[in-house]
Coordinates of all heavy atoms in Angstrom, one line a residue:
M905 N -110.2 -0.3 -38.3 CA -111.1 0.4 -37.5 C -112.2 1.0 -38.3 O -112.0 1.4 -39.5 CB -110.3 1.6 -36.8 CG -111.1 2.1 -35.5 SD -110.3 3.5 -35.0 CE -109.7 3.1 -33.4
A906 N -113.5 1.0 -37.8 CA -114.6 1.5 -38.6 C -114.6 3.0 -38.7 O -114.2 3.7 -37.8 CB -115.9 1.1 -37.9
E907 N -115.0 3.5 -39.9 CA -115.1 5.0 -40.1 C -116.4 5.5 -39.5 O -117.4 5.0 -39.6 CB -115.1 5.2 -41.6 CG -114.8 6.7 -41.9 CD -114.6 6.8 -43.4 OE1 -114.0 6.0 -44.1 OE2 -115.2 7.8 -44.0
H908 N -116.3 6.7 -38.8 CA -117.4 7.3 -38.2 C -118.4 7.9 -39.3 O -117.9 8.5 -40.2 CB -117.0 8.4 -37.3 CG -116.2 8.0 -36.1 ND1 -116.7 7.2 -35.1 CD2 -114.8 8.1 -35.9 CE1 -115.7 6.9 -34.2 NE2 -114.6 7.4 -34.7
L909 N -119.7 7.6 -39.1 CA -120.6 8.2 -40.0 C -121.0 9.6 -39.7 O -121.1 10.0 -38.5 CB -121.9 7.3 -40.1 CG -121.7 5.9 -40.5 CD1 -123.0 5.1 -40.4 CD2 -121.3 5.9 -42.0
V910 N -121.1 10.4 -40.7 CA -121.4 11.8 -40.5 C -123.0 12.0 -40.6 O -123.6 11.5 -41.6 CB -120.7 12.7 -41.5 CG1 -121.1 14.2 -41.4 CG2 -119.3 12.5 -41.4
P911 N -123.6 12.7 -39.7 CA -125.0 12.9 -39.8 C -125.4 13.7 -41.0 O -124.6 14.5 -41.5 CB -125.4 13.8 -38.5 CG -124.2 13.7 -37.6 CD -123.0 13.3 -38.5
P912 N -126.6 13.5 -41.6 CA -127.0 14.2 -42.8 C -127.0 15.7 -42.5 O -127.4 16.2 -41.5 CB -128.5 13.7 -43.1 CG -128.6 12.5 -42.2 CD -127.6 12.6 -41.1
G913 N -126.6 16.5 -43.6 CA -126.6 17.9 -43.5 C -125.3 18.5 -42.9 O -125.2 19.7 -42.8
E914 N -124.4 17.7 -42.5 CA -123.1 18.1 -42.0 C -122.0 17.7 -43.0 O -122.1 16.7 -43.6 CB -122.9 17.6 -40.6 CG -123.8 18.1 -39.6 CD -123.4 17.7 -38.2 OE1 -122.2 17.5 -38.0 OE2 -124.2 17.8 -37.3
T915 N -121.0 18.6 -43.0 CA -119.9 18.3 -43.9 C -118.9 17.5 -43.1 O -118.6 17.8 -41.9 CB -119.2 19.7 -44.2 OG1 -120.1 20.5 -44.8 CG2 -118.0 19.4 -45.2
P916 N -118.4 16.4 -43.7 CA -117.5 15.5 -43.0 C -116.2 16.3 -42.7 O -115.8 17.1 -43.6 CB -117.3 14.3 -43.9 CG -117.8 14.8 -45.2 CD -118.7 15.9 -45.0
P917 N -115.5 16.0 -41.6 CA -114.2 16.7 -41.4 C -113.2 16.3 -42.5 O -113.1 15.1 -42.8 CB -113.8 16.3 -40.0 CG -114.6 15.0 -39.8 CD -115.8 15.1 -40.6
V918 N -112.5 17.3 -42.9 CA -111.4 17.0 -43.9 C -110.1 17.6 -43.3 O -110.1 18.6 -42.7 CB -111.7 17.8 -45.2 CG1 -110.6 17.6 -46.3 CG2 -113.1 17.3 -45.8
E919 N -109.0 16.9 -43.6 CA -107.7 17.3 -43.1 C -107.4 18.7 -43.6 O -107.4 18.9 -44.8 CB -106.7 16.3 -43.5 CG -105.3 16.5 -42.8 CD -104.3 15.5 -43.1 OE1 -104.8 14.3 -43.2 OE2 -103.1 15.8 -43.3
G920 N -107.1 19.6 -42.7 CA -106.7 21.0 -43.1 C -107.9 21.9 -43.4 O -107.7 23.0 -43.7
C921 N -109.1 21.4 -43.3 CA -110.3 22.3 -43.6 C -110.7 23.0 -42.3 O -111.0 22.4 -41.3 CB -111.4 21.5 -44.2 SG -112.9 22.5 -44.6
I922 N -110.8 24.4 -42.4 CA -111.2 25.1 -41.3 C -112.6 25.9 -41.5 O -113.0 26.6 -40.7 CB -110.2 26.2 -40.8 CG1 -109.8 27.1 -41.9 CG2 -108.9 25.4 -40.3 CD1 -108.9 28.3 -41.5
A923 N -113.1 25.7 -42.7 CA -114.3 26.4 -43.1 C -115.6 25.7 -42.5 O -115.6 24.5 -42.3 CB -114.4 26.5 -44.6
E924 N -116.6 26.5 -42.3 CA -117.9 26.0 -41.8 C -118.7 25.5 -43.0 O -118.5 26.0 -44.2 CB -118.7 27.1 -41.1 CG -118.0 27.5 -39.8 CD -118.2 26.5 -38.7 OE1 -119.3 25.8 -38.7 OE2 -117.3 26.4 -37.9
A925 N -119.6 24.6 -42.9 CA -120.5 24.2 -43.9 C -121.4 25.3 -44.3 O -121.9 26.0 -43.4 CB -121.3 23.0 -43.5
H926 N -121.5 25.6 -45.6 CA -122.4 26.8 -46.0 C -123.9 26.4 -46.0 O -124.2 25.2 -46.2 CB -122.0 27.2 -47.4 CG -122.3 26.3 -48.4 ND1 -121.6 25.2 -48.8 CD2 -123.4 26.2 -49.3 CE1 -122.2 24.5 -49.7 NE2 -123.2 25.1 -50.1
E927 N -124.7 27.4 -45.7 CA -126.1 27.1 -45.7 C -126.6 27.2 -47.1 O -126.1 28.1 -47.9 CB -126.8 28.2 -44.8 CG -126.6 28.0 -43.3 CD -127.5 28.9 -42.5 OE1 -128.6 29.3 -43.0 OE2 -127.1 29.3 -41.4
E928 N -127.6 26.4 -47.5 CA -128.1 26.5 -48.8 C -129.1 27.7 -48.9 O -129.8 28.0 -48.0 CB -128.9 25.2 -49.2 CG -127.9 24.0 -49.3 CD -128.6 22.9 -50.0 OE1 -129.5 23.1 -50.7 OE2 -128.1 21.7 -49.8
R929 N -129.1 28.3 -50.1 CA -130.0 29.5 -50.2 C -131.4 28.9 -50.3 O -131.7 27.8 -50.7 CB -129.6 30.3 -51.4 CG -129.9 29.6 -52.8 CD -129.3 30.5 -53.9 NE -129.6 29.8 -55.2 CZ -130.6 30.2 -56.0 NH1 -131.3 31.3 -55.7 NH2 -130.8 29.6 -57.1
P930 N -132.4 29.8 -49.9 CA -133.8 29.3 -49.9 C -134.3 29.1 -51.3 O -133.8 29.7 -52.2 CB -134.5 30.5 -49.2 CG -133.6 31.6 -49.3 CD -132.2 31.1 -49.4
D931 N -135.3 28.3 -51.4 CA -135.9 28.0 -52.7 C -136.6 29.2 -53.2 O -137.4 29.9 -52.4 CB -136.9 26.8 -52.5 CG -137.5 26.4 -53.9 OD1 -136.9 26.7 -54.9 OD2 -138.6 25.9 -53.8
G932 N -136.5 29.5 -54.5 CA -137.1 30.7 -55.0 C -138.6 30.5 -55.4 O -139.2 31.5 -55.8
G933 N -139.1 29.3 -55.2 CA -140.5 29.1 -55.5 C -140.8 29.3 -57.0 O -140.1 28.9 -57.9
V934 N -141.9 29.9 -57.3 CA -142.4 30.1 -58.7 C -141.4 31.1 -59.4 O -141.4 31.2 -60.6 CB -143.8 30.6 -58.8 CG1 -144.8 29.6 -58.2 CG2 -144.0 31.9 -58.1
W935 N -140.6 31.9 -58.7 CA -139.8 32.9 -59.3 C -138.4 32.3 -59.6 O -137.5 33.0 -60.0 CB -139.6 34.1 -58.4 CG -141.0 34.7 -58.1 CD1 -141.5 34.7 -56.8 CD2 -142.0 35.2 -58.9 NE1 -142.8 35.2 -56.9 CE2 -143.1 35.6 -58.2 CE3 -142.0 35.5 -60.3 CZ2 -144.2 36.2 -58.7 CZ3 -143.1 36.1 -60.9 CH2 -144.2 36.4 -60.1
E936 N -138.2 31.0 -59.4 CA -136.9 30.4 -59.6 C -136.5 30.4 -61.1 O -135.4 30.5 -61.5 CB -136.9 29.0 -59.0 CG -135.6 28.3 -59.1 CD -134.6 28.8 -58.0 OE1 -135.1 29.2 -57.0 OE2 -133.4 28.7 -58.3
H937 N -137.6 30.2 -62.0 CA -137.3 30.2 -63.4 C -138.2 31.2 -64.1 O -139.2 30.8 -64.7 CB -137.6 28.8 -63.9 CG -136.7 27.7 -63.3 ND1 -135.4 27.6 -63.5 CD2 -137.1 26.8 -62.3 CE1 -134.9 26.6 -62.7 NE2 -135.9 26.1 -62.0
P938 N -137.8 32.5 -64.1 CA -138.7 33.5 -64.7 C -138.9 33.4 -66.1 O -139.8 33.9 -66.7 CB -138.1 34.8 -64.3 CG -136.7 34.5 -64.0 CD -136.7 33.1 -63.4
K939 N -137.9 32.8 -66.8 CA -138.0 32.6 -68.3 C -139.1 31.7 -68.7 O -139.8 32.0 -69.8 CB -136.7 32.1 -68.9 CG -135.5 33.1 -68.8 CD -134.3 32.5 -69.4 CE -133.1 33.5 -69.2 NZ -131.9 32.9 -69.7
I940 N -139.5 30.8 -67.9 CA -140.6 29.9 -68.2 C -141.9 30.8 -68.1 O -142.8 30.7 -69.1 CB -140.7 28.8 -67.2 CG1 -139.6 27.8 -67.4 CG2 -142.0 28.0 -67.3 CD1 -139.4 26.7 -66.4
W941 N -142.1 31.6 -67.1 CA -143.3 32.4 -67.0 C -143.3 33.4 -68.1 O -144.4 33.7 -68.7 CB -143.3 33.2 -65.6 CG -143.5 32.2 -64.5 CD1 -142.6 31.8 -63.6 CD2 -144.6 31.4 -64.2 NE1 -143.1 30.9 -62.7 CE2 -144.3 30.6 -63.1 CE3 -145.9 31.2 -64.8 CZ2 -145.2 29.7 -62.6 CZ3 -146.8 30.4 -64.3 CH2 -146.5 29.6 -63.2
L942 N -142.2 34.1 -68.4 CA -142.2 35.0 -69.6 C -142.5 34.3 -70.8 O -143.3 34.9 -71.7 CB -140.8 35.7 -69.7 CG -140.6 36.7 -70.8 CD1 -141.5 37.9 -70.6 CD2 -139.2 37.2 -70.8
G943 N -142.0 33.1 -71.1 CA -142.4 32.4 -72.3 C -143.8 32.1 -72.4 O -144.5 32.2 -73.5
L944 N -144.5 31.7 -71.3 CA -145.9 31.4 -71.2 C -146.7 32.7 -71.6 O -147.7 32.6 -72.3 CB -146.3 30.8 -69.9 CG -145.9 29.4 -69.6 CD1 -146.3 29.0 -68.2 CD2 -146.6 28.5 -70.6
I945 N -146.3 33.8 -71.0 CA -147.0 35.1 -71.3 C -146.9 35.5 -72.7 O -147.9 35.9 -73.4 CB -146.5 36.2 -70.3 CG1 -146.9 35.9 -68.9 CG2 -147.0 37.6 -70.8 CD1 -146.2 36.7 -67.9
V946 N -145.7 35.4 -73.3 CA -145.5 35.7 -74.7 C -146.3 34.8 -75.6 O -146.9 35.2 -76.6 CB -144.0 35.7 -75.1 CG1 -143.8 35.8 -76.5 CG2 -143.3 36.8 -74.3
F947 N -146.3 33.5 -75.3 CA -147.0 32.5 -76.1 C -148.5 32.8 -76.0 O -149.2 32.8 -77.1 CB -146.8 31.1 -75.5 CG -147.5 30.0 -76.3 CD1 -147.1 29.7 -77.6 CD2 -148.6 29.3 -75.7 CE1 -147.8 28.7 -78.2 CE2 -149.2 28.3 -76.4 CZ -148.8 28.0 -77.6
G948 N -149.0 33.2 -74.9 CA -150.5 33.5 -74.8 C -150.8 34.8 -75.6 O -151.8 34.9 -76.3
A949 N -149.9 35.8 -75.5 CA -150.1 37.0 -76.3 C -150.1 36.7 -77.8 O -150.9 37.3 -78.6 CB -149.0 38.0 -76.0
V950 N -149.2 35.8 -78.2 CA -149.1 35.4 -79.7 C -150.4 34.7 -80.1 O -150.9 35.0 -81.2 CB -147.9 34.6 -80.0 CG1 -147.9 34.0 -81.3 CG2 -146.6 35.5 -79.8
L951 N -150.9 33.9 -79.2 CA -152.2 33.2 -79.6 C -153.4 34.1 -79.7 O -154.2 34.0 -80.6 CB -152.5 32.1 -78.5 CG -151.8 30.8 -78.6 CD1 -152.1 29.9 -77.4 CD2 -152.0 30.1 -79.9
I952 N -153.5 35.1 -78.8 CA -154.5 36.0 -78.9 C -154.4 36.9 -80.1 O -155.4 37.2 -80.8 CB -154.6 36.9 -77.6 CG1 -155.0 36.0 -76.4 CG2 -155.5 38.1 -77.7 CD1 -154.8 36.6 -75.0
A953 N -153.2 37.4 -80.4 CA -152.9 38.1 -81.6 C -153.3 37.4 -82.9 O -153.9 37.9 -83.8 CB -151.5 38.6 -81.7
A954 N -152.9 36.1 -82.9 CA -153.2 35.3 -84.0 C -154.7 35.1 -84.2 O -155.2 35.1 -85.3 CB -152.6 33.9 -83.9
F955 N -155.5 35.0 -83.1 CA -156.9 34.9 -83.2 C -157.5 36.2 -83.9 O -158.4 36.1 -84.8 CB -157.5 34.7 -81.8 CG -159.0 34.9 -81.7 CD1 -159.8 33.8 -82.2 CD2 -159.6 36.0 -81.2 CE1 -161.2 33.9 -82.2 CE2 -161.0 36.1 -81.2 CZ -161.8 35.1 -81.6
F956 N -157.1 37.3 -83.5 CA -157.6 38.6 -84.0 C -157.2 38.7 -85.5 O -158.0 39.2 -86.3 CB -157.2 39.8 -83.2 CG -158.1 39.9 -81.9 CD1 -157.6 39.5 -80.7 CD2 -159.4 40.3 -82.0 CE1 -158.3 39.6 -79.5 CE2 -160.2 40.4 -80.8 CZ -159.6 40.0 -79.6
I957 N -156.0 38.4 -85.8 CA -155.5 38.5 -87.2 C -156.3 37.5 -88.0 O -156.7 37.9 -89.2 CB -154.0 38.2 -87.2 CG1 -153.2 39.3 -86.6 CG2 -153.5 37.9 -88.7 CD1 -151.7 39.0 -86.4
A958 N -156.6 36.3 -87.6 CA -157.4 35.4 -88.3 C -158.8 35.9 -88.5 O -159.4 35.8 -89.6 CB -157.5 34.0 -87.6
R959 N -159.4 36.6 -87.6 CA -160.7 37.2 -87.7 C -160.7 38.3 -88.8 O -161.7 38.5 -89.5 CB -161.2 37.7 -86.4 CG -161.7 36.6 -85.5 CD -162.4 37.1 -84.3 NE -163.6 37.8 -84.8 CZ -164.5 38.4 -84.0 NH1 -164.3 38.4 -82.7 NH2 -165.6 38.9 -84.5
I960 N -159.6 39.1 -88.8 CA -159.6 40.2 -89.8 C -159.5 39.6 -91.2 O -160.3 40.1 -92.1 CB -158.3 41.0 -89.5 CG1 -158.5 41.9 -88.3 CG2 -158.0 42.0 -90.7 CD1 -157.2 42.6 -87.8
F961 N -158.8 38.5 -91.4 CA -158.7 38.0 -92.8 C -159.9 37.1 -93.1 O -160.2 36.9 -94.3 CB -157.4 37.1 -92.9 CG -156.2 38.0 -93.0 CD1 -155.2 37.9 -92.0 CD2 -156.0 38.8 -94.1 CE1 -154.1 38.7 -92.1 CE2 -154.9 39.6 -94.2 CZ -153.9 39.5 -93.2
A962 N -160.7 36.7 -92.1 CA -161.9 36.0 -92.4 C -163.1 36.8 -92.8 O -164.1 36.3 -93.3 CB -162.3 35.2 -91.1
L963 N -162.9 38.2 -92.7 CA -164.0 39.0 -93.1 C -164.1 39.0 -94.6 O -164.3 39.1 -95.5 CB -163.8 40.5 -92.6 CG -163.9 40.6 -91.1 CD1 -163.5 42.0 -90.7 CD2 -165.3 40.3 -90.6

């Protein structure tokens, strides 16, 4: 006998399972990976500081 296909987004029935399918949490957007943004800010600050340090030593 053919096995019934389960529609996308639904959990197939399992023997003994009484739990509902859980909802996925919403996408965090740009705040999903704050370490990337922090790294970019620190990198930019280091570049600006290096520019001014280079100007001091160029005098």
Side-chain angles (χ1 to χ4, degrees):
M905 200 189 246
E907 192 173 318
H908 297 289
L909 297 176
V910 178
E914 292 190 20
T915 305
V918 178
E919 188 175 323
C921 180
I922 59 170
E924 295 286 326
H926 69 280
E927 288 187 28
E928 293 197 20
R929 66 186 185 104
D931 182 25
V934 296
W935 306 113
E936 187 74 27
H937 303 287
K939 289 181 183 177
I940 293 174
W941 294 110
L942 179 62
L944 287 173
I945 292 168
V946 169
F947 180 70
V950 168
L951 281 179
I952 292 171
F955 171 75
F956 284 104
I957 291 171
R959 286 195 60 184
I960 289 170
F961 286 117
L963 291 176

